[in-house]
Amino acid sequence: MTCGYVAIEDRHTGDAGRTGQHIRWWDFGRLSWECYAVLMPTQTKPHRMTVAEFLDWASAQPRGRYELVHGEVVQMAPERELHSVIKGEVYAALRDAIKRAGLPCRAYGDGMTVVINDHLAREPDASVQCGVPYKRRNMILQAPLIVVEVVSPSSERVDTVEKVDEYFSVTSIQHYLIVDPTAKMVTHHERSEGGAIEKRDLLGGDIIELKPPGMKVPVSELLPEIEWDM
């Protein structure tokens, strides 16, 4: 039996929809939630996957990166080299800033999950968490303080609009950085002491002050000059 579709988020075309290919998920030793919804009586609402169910399912997949968006699995498309390289620079810049400041924090690249609510989980391109003990098998950031997304033309609307509201609904998050390699600019969203979200655009000569936790990151380290062979 084949049933269900898998949602694909394509960062290069901007499409976030469903593929035209049916997926046999019996190979993974369980019935997919999409198949479950199809097999249920028509009067029953389709099952929306919870974050706990999603993490259990995603950890069993042999390959691929996924997010959970309003109860649906969204597969993240392969990245272009520019996106991948800048993500690495962002992680290194955050890690180095933590070391310079001597903070009890840790920088993460992509792969860790930020839980927004019971049916929504994002995977930022980089993040920082402070004062949380390491757990070898953990997949979730327990108290993320800084999250970062490297924007591309196709992900711009989600990164600059939807994720601002989503990330700041997580009470521990104080800073959301949007790194734009094309514009060579970083947009810093910060939660003020009064709770309002303040926004500022920063360029190559600027320094980003992240308080808390008390560290500074030059924009030039997030967006270094790189000679690309076109």
Side-chain angles (χ1 to χ4, degrees), residues 83-201:
H83 193 95
S84 181
V85 168
I86 296 302
K87 283 200 314 183
E89 297 292 343
V90 168
Y91 164 75
L94 294 173
R95 179 198 59 198
D96 293 347
I98 290 169
K99 290 181 179 180
R100 286 194 299 266
L103 296 169
C105 304
R106 187 174 185 85
Y108 297 87
D110 62 17
M112 296 299 291
T113 297
V114 173
V115 176
I116 309 300
N117 58 45
D118 288 344
H119 301 283
L120 180 57
R122 294 293 190 180
E123 185 183 308
D125 288 329
S127 54
V128 171
Q129 183 169 257
C130 302
V132 177
Y134 300 151
K135 295 182 179 180
R136 187 174 298 180
R137 298 178 60 84
N138 195 26
M139 301 170 67
I140 295 173
L141 291 175
Q142 302 299 316
L145 189 66
I146 303 165
V147 290
V148 186
E149 297 286 2
V150 178
V151 73
S152 63
S154 62
S155 69
E156 183 174 3
R157 181 184 61 81
V158 174
D159 289 341
T160 62
V161 179
E162 295 179 18
K163 288 185 179 179
V164 175
D165 292 335
E166 291 173 1
Y167 281 140
F168 282 106
S169 70
V170 179
T171 56
S172 65
I173 292 178
Q174 301 298 310
H175 308 277
Y176 173 34
L177 305 180
I178 301 173
V179 180
D180 189 333
T182 303
K184 297 186 181 300
M185 180 176 71
V186 176
T187 299
H188 178 197
H189 293 86
E190 178 179 15
R191 195 192 303 272
S192 68
E193 291 184 3
I197 307 304
E198 300 178 352
K199 173 186 172 183
R200 60 183 65 87
D201 293 328

